[in-house]
Amino acid sequence: MVGYLVVLLVVLAAAAYWLGRTRAIASVNGDVARLHSLPGQHGMFLALFAAGPALLAIVLWSLVTPGIESSIIADRFASELSGMGVPQVEAFIRDARAMAFGGLVGFADPTKEAAAALYKSVHATSTWIIWTVALVLSASGFYWAYSRIAQAYRARHVVERVLRAFLIACSVVAILTTIGIVLSLIFESLRFFQQVPFYKFLFGTHWSPQSAFTGAGAEAGAVNEDIFGMVPLFAGTLLITFIAMLVAAPIGLMAAIYLSDYASKSVRAVAKPVLEILAGIPTVVYGFFAALTVAPYFRGIGESLGLNVASESALAAGVVMGIMIIPFVSSLSDDVINAVPQSLRDGSAGLGATKSETIRKVVLPAALPGIVSAILLAVSRAIGETMIVVMAAGLAANLTANPLEAVTTVTVQIVTLLVGDQEFDSAKTLAAFALGLVLFCITLTLNIVALRVVQKYREQYD
Amino acid sequence: MTDAISSFGAVGRPASIHTDDAAKARLKGRYRTEKWFKWLGAAAVALAGLFLVLLLSTIVTQAIPALRQNYVTLPIDLSAAKVDPAKLDEVNYDAIAQEALTAKFPDVTSRQDKRLLRGLISTGTGVFLRKDIAADPGMLGGTVDYAVPLDDFADLYLKGLLADVGSDEAISTSVTPSGTSGDIDLTFGDDAMLALARGHGATEGENGMFTLTSGASSLLVAFNGGTVKLTSLSPAANGTVIAKGTVIEALDSTAPAASGQAFLRVIETPEASRKISDKVIVWLDTLKSAGLIESRFNSIFFFTGASREPELAGVWGAVVGSFLTMIVTLAIAFPIGVSAAIYLEEFAPKNRLTTMIEVNINNLAAVPSIVFGLLGLAVFLNFFGMPRSAPVVGGMVLALMTLPIIIIASRASLRAVPPSIREAALGIGASKVQTVFHHVLPLAMPGIMTGTILGMAHALGETAPLLMIGMVAFIVDIPGGFTDPATILPVQIFMWADFPEAGFQQKTSAAILILLVFLVIMNAIAVILRRRFERRW
């Protein structure tokens, strides 16, 4: 229904554009040069006022109504819903909505049907309201703008100001996203920390949230605070990241050095795309490769050496993650190495140094801040990487430094806690947000430090 | 000084620290280091290339079998007695197809074996048959030859992926059976079979008897139109060997087979470590040698939705879901991203707000993708109450994730347009907005498009944030709109990779191949755009 309204408004806008243009031309009897603004700008002005406010109202309406509608339902059926937990109430309202819109639900009872009927009528009312409001806004906007169109009217200024406001609004989306991330993470984490004290979360060494609820009878539903210790997850993440960096840092750095200082043009023409393809492969593909090829391979090698390698070893996940990060390290280091001025290399060569001596003793020290920052960014990437570890690392939180054992990571646990059936209020799901907050803070800190390293220690040439 | 120089010439160069033996050795060492360093660099590049080749070749070799599916052609009885044309919806088509299959093997009588036999064809057979009859009612009224998809294990066996089967070898001695069905004795003319059994993992018992357990290779002897599976062999008088065996396919007669008339087939993979029994292998081979099995292009995989049965699982639902999601992402990220880039590059004054926006954009580009999923879950699903598993929500989350990529690429592209263009436009009286939208933006468009396509390619391969907003649900129907529950290609890959059935491994690789093809196409378009339209100023 509201879809039709949007289409109608678009048609109205097109009509308004044409009308505005015509009126502007008519106001000067066809002598366009006498207009302050171009006829098209008048048309745009009219279209903006005819459709803009109404469209804004629709956006606002579609954001607000679902909440209002569900609160009305919850209010009317308060007596039936009393005694139910938040998740059950949410499920009830979801089912009622699904029934009202002709969807399928698991099972229906008279209460739900009544709720669905109410939902339908409430929704009909709210649709009716938005139609009226949108049409009134559109008509009054049109009327106001239409009456303004005249020879001297500065339609261009209005249109350009609105456009500029739109551009600013688009730029602010980036800030809003950040705010959204920070606020949602913090709010959910605070709710989690009300149930589990944060020091137990940060410093506890036992993690098994699947058994979050212990006790029976009066104690049923009480949260066991001691099973939300994130130290094993953090240790697992660091272990896998460390292995990944052992693979990615030397290979990526050496590849960057070779490609920028040694490789012939033809080698570069092949090697650069290879690295780009490696960077473009989706992480889920790496995960599949890790789980089905690399992990059994390592296991086989381990068996032939008499070692006991877990089928979800940290080694397999870490090595594949390292492969994934190679192009990241190499492209960042490539930029940094290329930024070292040629005069330094020439000076070193003039003193009789070989190429490798130049690189090791002149170029690399000069590029060191950039390389450190590249490695830090790669570490941040490895810590936040999800799919490879979800598919190839373990689920059990072992506190170990042995790369042959299975460990779990922060991202794996976020996915395990949030995928599948969930109640949104339980400590289990809220723990995922607390983990997300930790993850966000770590990566943010790493990025800021990386930026600072470059800013503070960069040598100023030229 | 001049003396000194002339004396140098006369005596020859005295050993200086730059030319003495130690220096020469040092120089050699330095050159060696140089070479080493260079090779190390080359090795790093080669290693990266090797990883790529390894990854792609693993996936391609695994994906190729999934592109074809084996069908068995069965004479299906669709006469009015079986299928009432008036009640087409009430017919059990699966049973009719299964009957046609069991009719091929009249000597399979036990209930257990019959169930095993019926399991050879896919459980989706009835659905296909019904659909085809609805499309072509002319099939009704008689017996038609109809190609039925095989079950995943049968299909995998025929592709050679489940068991290691040797070719038939003629037995160079006579074979005499004691019966035609059930457990029988076979008498071999010489004791060559004993050595063979030992070589294939038979366990040696008392009196030189060899027992073939399920941990050993299976030895099948085919003669007189039937097949016998050997269970144990023991030496007998006159150098002959008496073997006990179970008849899998009934023999025509108890007549002894002459030398070269009986054939031995060895299934190297022990029965205990494969998921297909000897019986099923024999049945499938019989069907195959009767020319009833046909390998076709796997249209089920490309054009149907998800399924729990590997042979019925398709990617079309996921492809459609990905497509819908990408439309939403593009519709949101492109206008907002380009607008933000235009503002920051062309209009923004240098102030606190714009600095903050820039810092934010750079930070967002480095935020782990899973955090965007948490944002989507908390804000879009829980706060705004949007539907779970819907492409519209997935698209919005991916749009927020792609936004920084598009903004950064668009800004670089706008910056590359030389100021002379702007000055010329302003000089002939264009307003700032007109300058940007009529002159600068069209010139920057190729670069912006390239950046956008690369950002979209990145979004297309993204999985983690979509797991958070419930796109991991098992959805059979092909999504019809932006709010229908849907899954997307990378998530489908993730789910299939987790399924234990062997058939899904090939499907996963094939789905990955499809995803990679899409990515290659998008990147190729980006490269072509860059080559053709990007101007160097």
Side-chain angles (χ1 to χ4, degrees):
Chain A
M1 285 305 279
V2 179
Y4 294 125
L5 182 55
V6 173
V7 173
L8 179 68
L9 284 174
V10 171
V11 173
L12 277 179
Y17 176 82
W18 184 76
L19 276 174
R21 236 183 93 93
T22 322
R23 183 177 163 90
I25 295 172
S27 71
V28 289
N29 296 322
D31 187 4
V32 177
R34 282 172 54 215
L35 283 171
H36 167 271
S37 307
L38 295 171
Q41 286 162 341
H42 282 287
M44 216 111 93
F45 165 67
L46 193 53
L48 267 177
F49 277 85
L55 282 174
L56 276 182
I58 292 176
V59 169
L60 218 65
W61 172 84
S62 53
L63 288 180
V64 169
T65 38
I68 295 179
E69 286 173 357
S70 3
S71 69
I72 290 177
I73 303 282
D75 195 44
R76 291 281 178 85
F77 287 85
S79 56
E80 284 89 341
L81 294 176
S82 64
M84 282 195 196
V86 176
Q88 284 96 326
V89 172
E90 273 178 6
F92 177 82
I93 289 168
R94 206 164 37 233
D95 281 1
R97 186 185 307 158
M99 282 161 76
F101 293 129
L104 293 171
V105 291
F107 68 100
D109 56 30
T111 324
K112 259 185 204 168
E113 271 162 20
L118 177 66
Y119 202 100
K120 223 172 186 169
S121 79
V122 167
H123 191 73
T125 316
S126 84
T127 312
W128 188 77
I129 291 175
I130 187 62
W131 267 85
T132 320
V133 167
L135 290 181
V136 165
L137 275 178
S138 175
S140 48
F142 179 84
Y143 177 75
W144 183 82
Y146 194 74
S147 66
R148 309 228 92 188
I149 293 177
Q151 181 205 338
Y153 188 67
R154 303 180 167 200
R156 176 166 75 80
H157 291 205
V158 179
V159 170
E160 292 190 352
R161 216 168 292 155
V162 171
L163 187 71
R164 194 177 284 223
F166 174 74
L167 293 183
I168 294 178
C170 287
S171 320
V172 171
V173 167
I175 296 187
L176 289 183
T177 311
T178 312
I179 294 176
I181 289 176
V182 171
L183 284 190
S184 59
L185 289 179
I186 286 181
F187 272 126
E188 307 298 344
S189 303
L190 282 180
R191 283 165 71 193
F192 173 69
F193 291 135
Q194 281 168 2
Q195 302 183 35
V196 177
F198 76 93
Y199 54 88
K200 284 198 175 167
F201 172 70
L202 280 183
F203 304 114
T205 55
H206 181 66
W207 175 272
S208 56
Q210 300 303 336
S211 53
F213 301 100
T214 51
E219 282 184 7
V223 175
N224 182 352
E225 293 173 356
D226 293 327
I227 55 168
F228 287 102
M230 66 158 287
V231 169
L233 310 188
F234 199 65
T237 308
L238 285 185
L239 178 62
I240 289 182
T241 304
F242 180 69
I243 297 170
M245 293 320 293
L246 277 188
V247 174
I251 295 182
L253 194 56
M254 283 313 290
I257 290 171
Y258 184 77
L259 288 181
S260 65
D261 280 280
Y262 284 104
S264 64
K265 218 171 181 179
S266 53
V267 171
R268 217 172 301 158
V270 177
K272 283 247 162 144
V274 163
L275 288 172
E276 274 169 28
I277 296 173
L278 218 48
I281 289 177
T283 51
V284 68
V285 179
Y286 281 109
F288 180 71
F289 182 63
L292 275 113
T293 310
V294 179
Y297 180 70
F298 281 156
R299 205 178 145 78
I301 290 183
E303 263 171 19
S304 65
L305 294 176
L307 292 169
N308 189 16
V309 183
S311 59
E312 295 180 320
S313 62
L315 191 63
V319 166
V320 173
M321 194 187 276
I323 295 175
M324 185 202 83
I325 293 176
I326 290 173
F328 192 73
V329 175
S330 82
S331 87
L332 284 178
S333 331
D334 197 34
D335 293 347
V336 176
I337 289 169
N338 279 330
V340 175
Q342 187 62 30
S343 57
L344 261 68
R345 296 190 171 109
D346 294 346
S348 167
L351 287 173
T354 63
K355 219 168 185 177
S356 68
E357 284 164 348
T358 305
I359 291 167
R360 279 182 293 133
K361 299 189 172 148
V362 177
V363 177
L364 284 187
L368 194 62
I371 290 171
V372 168
S373 126
I375 303 254
L376 284 178
L377 288 177
V379 168
S380 128
R381 183 102 196 264
I383 289 177
E385 170 49 44
T386 311
M387 289 323 291
I388 294 177
V389 279
V390 166
M391 293 169 84
L395 286 177
N398 297 326
L399 190 54
T400 173
N402 181 355
L404 304 182
E405 275 184 50
V407 295
T408 191
T409 71
V410 175
T411 47
V412 173
Q413 289 306 316
I414 295 177
V415 171
T416 352
L417 290 175
L418 287 182
V419 168
D421 295 327
Q422 38 169 300
E423 300 161 16
F424 196 65
D425 270 356
S426 77
K428 230 162 80 176
T429 49
L430 293 177
F433 284 89
L435 288 177
L437 184 63
V438 172
L439 191 65
F440 182 74
C441 291
I442 293 174
T443 50
L444 197 65
T445 315
L446 278 173
N447 288 321
I448 291 172
V449 171
L451 207 66
R452 273 294 148 86
V453 166
V454 175
Q455 279 172 354
K456 191 160 182 203
Y457 297 101
R458 184 172 51 190
E459 309 274 338
Q460 290 290 344
Y461 303 106
D462 321 321
Chain B
M1 278 306 269
T2 46
D3 283 352
I5 290 170
S6 63
S7 73
F8 266 17
V11 181
R13 289 200 176 160
S16 87
I17 54 160
H18 296 298
T19 49
D20 60 10
D21 285 347
K24 275 179 191 153
R26 240 184 356 256
L27 194 62
K28 227 177 183 174
R30 286 171 65 202
Y31 281 139
R32 205 164 43 231
T33 322
E34 168 75 21
K35 208 179 255 172
W36 265 107
F37 194 73
K38 185 177 173 179
W39 281 114
L40 221 59
V45 174
L47 212 56
L50 181 77
F51 286 142
L52 181 67
V53 170
L54 206 66
L55 189 125
L56 291 183
S57 63
T58 312
I59 282 159
V60 170
T61 47
Q62 282 205 348
I64 285 171
L67 300 182
R68 301 192 76 82
Q69 158 82 26
N70 285 300
Y71 284 74
V72 58
T73 309
L74 296 172
I76 292 189
D77 184 9
L78 296 176
S79 59
K82 295 271 186 189
V83 183
D84 182 355
K87 295 177 187 166
L88 283 179
D89 285 348
E90 293 167 21
V91 181
N92 185 350
Y93 293 100
D94 277 314
I96 295 178
Q98 284 163 359
E99 259 171 49
L101 180 66
T102 37
K104 290 264 171 207
F105 297 94
D107 53 324
V108 174
T109 47
S110 81
R111 182 182 282 244
Q112 205 181 349
D113 286 356
K114 274 193 167 163
R115 191 187 301 145
L116 206 59
L117 183 58
R118 284 200 295 266
L120 280 189
I121 55 175
S122 165
T123 48
T125 304
V127 179
F128 291 119
L129 192 55
R130 183 167 150 184
K131 218 188 290 171
D132 286 347
I133 289 174
D136 175 20
M139 287 167 77
L140 292 172
T143 303
V144 286
D145 279 337
Y146 184 77
V148 171
L150 283 169
D151 186 60
D152 61 318
F153 285 122
D155 184 49
L156 284 176
Y157 167 71
L158 288 168
K159 285 171 182 165
L161 296 169
L162 269 193
D164 194 0
V165 182
S167 56
D168 289 3
E169 277 175 53
I171 296 172
S172 58
T173 180
S174 63
V175 183
T176 317
S178 69
T180 58
S181 62
D183 290 332
I184 60 170
D185 286 345
L186 295 182
T187 314
F188 291 93
D190 63 22
D191 60 357
M193 288 303 288
L194 282 180
L196 233 146
R198 185 190 291 130
H200 285 104
T203 40
E204 191 166 0
E206 282 172 48
N207 304 330
M209 184 169 130
F210 286 93
T211 316
L212 287 153
T213 59
S214 63
S217 305
S218 295
L219 301 184
L220 304 176
V221 180
F223 64 105
N224 290 357
T227 310
V228 181
K229 183 195 173 187
L230 303 185
T231 50
S232 68
L233 300 106
S234 44
N238 308 332
T240 59
V241 171
I242 293 185
K244 289 195 187 307
T246 315
V247 176
I248 294 182
E249 261 186 311
L251 308 176
D252 295 338
S253 67
T254 52
S259 160
Q261 293 293 307
F263 295 91
L264 175 74
R265 169 174 312 159
V266 181
I267 303 169
E268 303 281 356
T269 324
E271 197 169 14
S273 49
R274 62 182 132 93
K275 286 178 176 152
I276 186 162
S277 67
D278 291 329
K279 270 184 199 150
V280 175
I281 288 180
V282 169
W283 291 333
L284 284 171
D285 287 344
T286 311
L287 286 175
K288 195 176 183 183
S289 55
L292 293 175
I293 285 179
E294 182 194 359
S295 168
R296 292 189 188 175
F297 171 72
N298 195 347
S299 58
I300 300 176
F301 175 69
F302 286 97
F303 301 115
T304 61
S307 169
R308 287 276 185 227
E309 300 293 328
E311 77 275 8
L312 298 177
V315 288
W316 185 241
V319 169
V320 171
S322 269
F323 183 69
L324 293 173
T325 310
M326 285 300 111
I327 288 178
V328 176
T329 307
L330 187 65
I332 295 174
F334 183 69
I336 295 184
V338 175
S339 304
I342 290 174
Y343 179 72
L344 293 174
E345 204 54 42
E346 303 288 337
F347 294 101
K350 267 263 164 227
N351 62 18
R352 267 256 188 80
L353 180 72
T354 49
T355 330
M356 208 162 99
I357 292 174
E358 288 189 26
V359 170
N360 259 307
I361 288 170
N362 289 332
N363 272 335
L364 278 184
V367 167
S369 60
I370 193 167
V371 173
F372 283 98
L374 290 174
L375 170 77
L377 175 61
V379 174
F380 296 145
L381 292 192
N382 290 319
F383 190 71
F384 288 125
M386 289 180 169
R388 278 175 75 84
S389 314
V392 62
V393 182
M396 285 163 75
V397 170
L398 290 181
L400 292 183
M401 221 189 69
T402 325
L403 211 50
I405 303 178
I406 294 182
I407 294 178
I408 291 167
S410 304
R411 288 189 69 179
S413 184
L414 286 168
R415 210 176 301 137
V417 176
S420 57
I421 303 278
R422 295 182 185 88
E423 284 153 13
L426 291 171
I428 54 168
S431 71
K432 184 83 187 164
V433 170
Q434 285 170 328
T435 305
V436 171
F437 281 88
H438 295 178
H439 301 281
V440 180
L441 191 58
L443 289 172
M445 222 32 173
I448 294 177
M449 297 288 274
T450 309
T452 307
I453 293 172
L454 293 179
M456 295 300 291
H458 182 76
L460 180 61
E462 196 54 67
T463 322
L466 299 167
L467 299 182
M468 300 290 96
I469 55 162
M471 291 194 93
V472 69
F474 177 70
I475 291 144
V476 179
D477 295 328
I478 289 160
F482 293 110
T483 50
D484 285 357
T487 187
I488 59 161
L489 208 42
V491 177
Q492 185 75 77
I493 291 167
F494 167 65
M495 286 196 282
W496 279 353
D498 245 17
F499 284 173
E501 287 92 345
F504 274 118
Q505 198 173 325
Q506 277 79 35
K507 299 266 159 169
T508 313
S509 298
I512 288 176
L513 211 56
I514 292 176
L515 180 63
L516 291 181
V517 166
F518 278 125
L519 291 178
V520 166
I521 290 173
M522 289 172 86
N523 280 288
I525 292 174
V527 169
I528 289 169
L529 269 178
R530 191 162 26 184
R531 289 257 168 87
R532 283 208 57 169
F533 295 107
E534 204 170 57
R535 289 204 208 177
R536 299 238 166 251
W537 302 94

